Amino acid sequence: MRKNRYIQDIDENPFGEDLVPGCYVNNDPRKPKIEAFYIPQSEEQLEQNRIMEQKIQKRRISNFKEGVNIFEDVQKIDIDLMQDAPTNWAYFPLPNDTQLISLMNSIENIGLINPIILLRHPNYGKYTILEGKSRVLALKCLYERDHLDKYRYPLCCILDSEKVDEYYLRSMVLDLNFKYRNIPQDVFIKMILDRHALLKKSKKFRKESNIAELLAEEFLMSTSSIYNYLVLEKLSEEVKTLLYEKRISLQIARLFAKVNPVIQKMILENVDFKEINCLHRMRFIIGDGTGDLTLEKIKERIETSKDLVPEKISFIVTINYKLLDKAVENFLDLKKYASMKLTGIMGDNANRFCRISFDQDMMKYYVDQNLVDQKAVNKLIATKVQEILSK
């Protein structure tokens, strides 16, 4: 698809109060150089400003307390009369070509489901787009292709700039653009899986990698995170039900996805539901997904799992720097003891059975002041048994 002429760089057009912090220390090289000028105002001007501020405050309190009926004024508006909101109000990215095509197809086949929300200004023939910038872009592209009135004159909700406070409008813009963040995880999972199923039916997206990339862009997630959700397609209806009802964790659900739906059901029918979110036991029962799990083997694993304990446990230890040298010595003794006792049983990677974690950047300050020995620190982060046991 050629670069759309409606997607273009626009000049900064901030409006109203800048809510983003802009305070700099004097030695900050990015501190802007500002020359302040004082312009005296007459008593009449000061009184006008005071009355205006009172009016704004009254309107603001009313808007946030009583709300605003966005459906009070609904009408069809020419897309050529719509302009972008100020850049410090709406700074969200436009859809890429793939997303734009998807949106255009949706509007073309289903229509504009959600009205565009506009702001009307007195004595000004244009409307500011508060919500629906991507839809307006899609409508312009559709109208350029097919000169139909349904694309040029979409249904819009009109708000009056003299009746709605700036802060309320800006809050609305943020809420409408970030509303997906309030979606519960079970609903979010359903959205991803449903969207995945629909894209698979599209001729344009037959490859699983292409679908994952598109989903990652749409849901603002990494591709690897999308794959972690898509693996849930392998779940049986019973396990999906538990997941949607928030009775099992996402991590446990991924374990179930390693085996086929028949085995999933057999495990559910025999496991104690009080232990179903016990990660180390469920990991043992389900296994790595290879081989055939019979009902007899499943029951045997469930019984054996009752005596299993987690393989690892983590401690968080915070100490005063005066104890640092002694603490490093004790941690190193523990790591040496673990290396000698478990070497040959669990391999040569010492971190598998005893891992000491700390802020290495902060540790440099203590090393610089000779509060701790650098060789000892190196041994704490070493993974090879030989390095840990060396003198």
mmCIF file of all heavy atoms in Angstrom, residues 270-288:
data_model
loop_
_atom_site.group_PDB
_atom_site.id
_atom_site.type_symbol
_atom_site.label_atom_id
_atom_site.label_comp_id
_atom_site.label_asym_id
_atom_site.label_seq_id
_atom_site.Cartn_x
_atom_site.Cartn_y
_atom_site.Cartn_z
ATOM 1 N N ASN A 270 -8.946 -36.086 38.228
ATOM 2 C CA ASN A 270 -8.305 -36.850 39.295
ATOM 3 C C ASN A 270 -7.474 -36.009 40.258
ATOM 4 O O ASN A 270 -7.113 -36.489 41.331
ATOM 5 C CB ASN A 270 -7.395 -37.921 38.676
ATOM 6 C CG ASN A 270 -8.174 -39.029 38.006
ATOM 7 O OD1 ASN A 270 -8.592 -39.989 38.644
ATOM 8 N ND2 ASN A 270 -8.390 -38.902 36.690
ATOM 9 N N VAL A 271 -7.176 -34.787 39.887
ATOM 10 C CA VAL A 271 -6.352 -33.946 40.745
ATOM 11 C C VAL A 271 -7.205 -33.276 41.819
ATOM 12 O O VAL A 271 -8.424 -33.067 41.643
ATOM 13 C CB VAL A 271 -5.624 -32.878 39.898
ATOM 14 C CG1 VAL A 271 -6.591 -31.764 39.490
ATOM 15 C CG2 VAL A 271 -4.425 -32.315 40.628
ATOM 16 N N ASP A 272 -6.583 -32.970 42.956
ATOM 17 C CA ASP A 272 -7.246 -32.220 44.021
ATOM 18 C C ASP A 272 -7.281 -30.745 43.620
ATOM 19 O O ASP A 272 -6.227 -30.123 43.440
ATOM 20 C CB ASP A 272 -6.479 -32.400 45.339
ATOM 21 C CG ASP A 272 -7.179 -31.738 46.519
ATOM 22 O OD1 ASP A 272 -8.166 -31.000 46.291
ATOM 23 O OD2 ASP A 272 -6.741 -31.943 47.660
ATOM 24 N N PHE A 273 -8.452 -30.184 43.454
ATOM 25 C CA PHE A 273 -8.563 -28.807 42.973
ATOM 26 C C PHE A 273 -7.932 -27.800 43.935
ATOM 27 O O PHE A 273 -7.619 -26.675 43.542
ATOM 28 C CB PHE A 273 -10.025 -28.452 42.703
ATOM 29 C CG PHE A 273 -10.447 -28.720 41.284
ATOM 30 C CD1 PHE A 273 -10.360 -30.010 40.767
ATOM 31 C CD2 PHE A 273 -10.910 -27.723 40.462
ATOM 32 C CE1 PHE A 273 -10.737 -30.281 39.462
ATOM 33 C CE2 PHE A 273 -11.280 -27.976 39.151
ATOM 34 C CZ PHE A 273 -11.187 -29.262 38.640
ATOM 35 N N LYS A 274 -7.747 -28.204 45.199
ATOM 36 C CA LYS A 274 -7.085 -27.321 46.145
ATOM 37 C C LYS A 274 -5.608 -27.156 45.788
ATOM 38 O O LYS A 274 -4.977 -26.178 46.184
ATOM 39 C CB LYS A 274 -7.213 -27.874 47.564
ATOM 40 C CG LYS A 274 -8.635 -27.894 48.100
ATOM 41 C CD LYS A 274 -8.679 -28.484 49.492
ATOM 42 C CE LYS A 274 -10.112 -28.537 50.024
ATOM 43 N NZ LYS A 274 -10.170 -29.166 51.380
ATOM 44 N N GLU A 275 -5.074 -28.109 45.037
ATOM 45 C CA GLU A 275 -3.660 -28.091 44.674
ATOM 46 C C GLU A 275 -3.441 -27.726 43.212
ATOM 47 O O GLU A 275 -2.325 -27.795 42.715
ATOM 48 C CB GLU A 275 -3.040 -29.474 44.937
ATOM 49 C CG GLU A 275 -3.052 -29.901 46.387
ATOM 50 C CD GLU A 275 -2.092 -29.070 47.228
ATOM 51 O OE1 GLU A 275 -1.064 -28.629 46.686
ATOM 52 O OE2 GLU A 275 -2.374 -28.855 48.419
ATOM 53 N N ILE A 276 -4.500 -27.346 42.533
ATOM 54 C CA ILE A 276 -4.395 -27.172 41.083
ATOM 55 C C ILE A 276 -3.512 -25.988 40.696
ATOM 56 O O ILE A 276 -2.994 -25.936 39.584
ATOM 57 C CB ILE A 276 -5.809 -27.030 40.461
ATOM 58 C CG1 ILE A 276 -5.742 -27.370 38.964
ATOM 59 C CG2 ILE A 276 -6.367 -25.621 40.686
ATOM 60 C CD1 ILE A 276 -7.081 -27.548 38.326
ATOM 61 N N ASN A 277 -3.306 -25.045 41.593
ATOM 62 C CA ASN A 277 -2.425 -23.919 41.303
ATOM 63 C C ASN A 277 -1.051 -24.078 41.949
ATOM 64 O O ASN A 277 -0.274 -23.122 42.000
ATOM 65 C CB ASN A 277 -3.061 -22.603 41.756
ATOM 66 C CG ASN A 277 -4.079 -22.088 40.753
ATOM 67 O OD1 ASN A 277 -3.757 -21.860 39.590
ATOM 68 N ND2 ASN A 277 -5.311 -21.925 41.195
ATOM 69 N N CYS A 278 -0.763 -25.288 42.433
ATOM 70 C CA CYS A 278 0.557 -25.577 43.003
ATOM 71 C C CYS A 278 1.503 -25.886 41.845
ATOM 72 O O CYS A 278 1.465 -26.970 41.264
ATOM 73 C CB CYS A 278 0.460 -26.756 43.970
ATOM 74 S SG CYS A 278 2.015 -27.147 44.764
ATOM 75 N N LEU A 279 2.351 -24.933 41.514
ATOM 76 C CA LEU A 279 3.150 -25.007 40.293
ATOM 77 C C LEU A 279 4.062 -26.228 40.255
ATOM 78 O O LEU A 279 4.090 -26.960 39.256
ATOM 79 C CB LEU A 279 3.975 -23.728 40.131
ATOM 80 C CG LEU A 279 4.836 -23.635 38.866
ATOM 81 C CD1 LEU A 279 3.972 -23.709 37.618
ATOM 82 C CD2 LEU A 279 5.650 -22.346 38.872
ATOM 83 N N HIS A 280 4.826 -26.485 41.326
ATOM 84 C CA HIS A 280 5.809 -27.566 41.261
ATOM 85 C C HIS A 280 5.136 -28.935 41.171
ATOM 86 O O HIS A 280 5.650 -29.851 40.523
ATOM 87 C CB HIS A 280 6.760 -27.506 42.460
ATOM 88 C CG HIS A 280 6.148 -27.866 43.774
ATOM 89 N ND1 HIS A 280 5.362 -26.984 44.494
ATOM 90 C CD2 HIS A 280 6.189 -29.016 44.501
ATOM 91 C CE1 HIS A 280 4.963 -27.564 45.613
ATOM 92 N NE2 HIS A 280 5.445 -28.800 45.649
ATOM 93 N N ARG A 281 3.964 -29.086 41.760
ATOM 94 C CA ARG A 281 3.266 -30.365 41.694
ATOM 95 C C ARG A 281 2.579 -30.559 40.337
ATOM 96 O O ARG A 281 2.634 -31.639 39.754
ATOM 97 C CB ARG A 281 2.248 -30.478 42.834
ATOM 98 C CG ARG A 281 2.933 -30.589 44.199
ATOM 99 C CD ARG A 281 1.963 -30.704 45.338
ATOM 100 N NE ARG A 281 2.696 -30.837 46.609
ATOM 101 C CZ ARG A 281 2.132 -30.825 47.807
ATOM 102 N NH1 ARG A 281 0.818 -30.684 47.917
ATOM 103 N NH2 ARG A 281 2.882 -30.944 48.884
ATOM 104 N N MET A 282 1.962 -29.513 39.827
ATOM 105 C CA MET A 282 1.313 -29.631 38.520
ATOM 106 C C MET A 282 2.342 -29.816 37.411
ATOM 107 O O MET A 282 2.099 -30.518 36.438
ATOM 108 C CB MET A 282 0.457 -28.393 38.245
ATOM 109 C CG MET A 282 -0.765 -28.257 39.150
ATOM 110 S SD MET A 282 -1.829 -29.719 39.135
ATOM 111 C CE MET A 282 -2.266 -29.818 37.406
ATOM 112 N N ARG A 283 3.507 -29.190 37.586
ATOM 113 C CA ARG A 283 4.565 -29.376 36.594
ATOM 114 C C ARG A 283 5.020 -30.836 36.548
ATOM 115 O O ARG A 283 5.290 -31.386 35.477
ATOM 116 C CB ARG A 283 5.743 -28.454 36.935
ATOM 117 C CG ARG A 283 6.877 -28.501 35.928
ATOM 118 C CD ARG A 283 7.974 -27.527 36.307
ATOM 119 N NE ARG A 283 7.598 -26.165 35.965
ATOM 120 C CZ ARG A 283 7.911 -25.093 36.692
ATOM 121 N NH1 ARG A 283 8.561 -25.247 37.829
ATOM 122 N NH2 ARG A 283 7.556 -23.892 36.306
ATOM 123 N N PHE A 284 5.080 -31.487 37.724
ATOM 124 C CA PHE A 284 5.471 -32.902 37.778
ATOM 125 C C PHE A 284 4.379 -33.793 37.181
ATOM 126 O O PHE A 284 4.662 -34.731 36.429
ATOM 127 C CB PHE A 284 5.733 -33.313 39.231
ATOM 128 C CG PHE A 284 6.013 -34.778 39.410
ATOM 129 C CD1 PHE A 284 7.265 -35.297 39.125
ATOM 130 C CD2 PHE A 284 5.015 -35.632 39.848
ATOM 131 C CE1 PHE A 284 7.527 -36.655 39.283
ATOM 132 C CE2 PHE A 284 5.259 -36.994 40.002
ATOM 133 C CZ PHE A 284 6.516 -37.501 39.720
ATOM 134 N N ILE A 285 3.137 -33.498 37.498
ATOM 135 C CA ILE A 285 2.015 -34.328 37.016
ATOM 136 C C ILE A 285 1.912 -34.258 35.497
ATOM 137 O O ILE A 285 1.762 -35.281 34.820
ATOM 138 C CB ILE A 285 0.695 -33.870 37.668
ATOM 139 C CG1 ILE A 285 0.725 -34.143 39.173
ATOM 140 C CG2 ILE A 285 -0.506 -34.567 37.021
ATOM 141 C CD1 ILE A 285 -0.414 -33.494 39.936
ATOM 142 N N ILE A 286 1.988 -33.067 34.948
ATOM 143 C CA ILE A 286 1.809 -32.885 33.502
ATOM 144 C C ILE A 286 3.054 -33.303 32.734
ATOM 145 O O ILE A 286 2.963 -33.865 31.643
ATOM 146 C CB ILE A 286 1.439 -31.419 33.195
ATOM 147 C CG1 ILE A 286 0.062 -31.105 33.803
ATOM 148 C CG2 ILE A 286 1.417 -31.161 31.686
ATOM 149 C CD1 ILE A 286 -0.326 -29.646 33.734
ATOM 150 N N GLY A 287 4.233 -33.021 33.282
ATOM 151 C CA GLY A 287 5.459 -33.386 32.603
ATOM 152 C C GLY A 287 5.793 -32.440 31.473
ATOM 153 O O GLY A 287 5.291 -31.309 31.403
ATOM 154 N N ASP A 288 6.627 -32.928 30.538
ATOM 155 C CA ASP A 288 7.075 -32.074 29.437
ATOM 156 C C ASP A 288 6.214 -32.200 28.190
ATOM 157 O O ASP A 288 6.512 -31.607 27.152
ATOM 158 C CB ASP A 288 8.530 -32.384 29.082
ATOM 159 C CG ASP A 288 8.738 -33.839 28.671
ATOM 160 O OD1 ASP A 288 7.740 -34.575 28.570
ATOM 161 O OD2 ASP A 288 9.902 -34.229 28.461
#
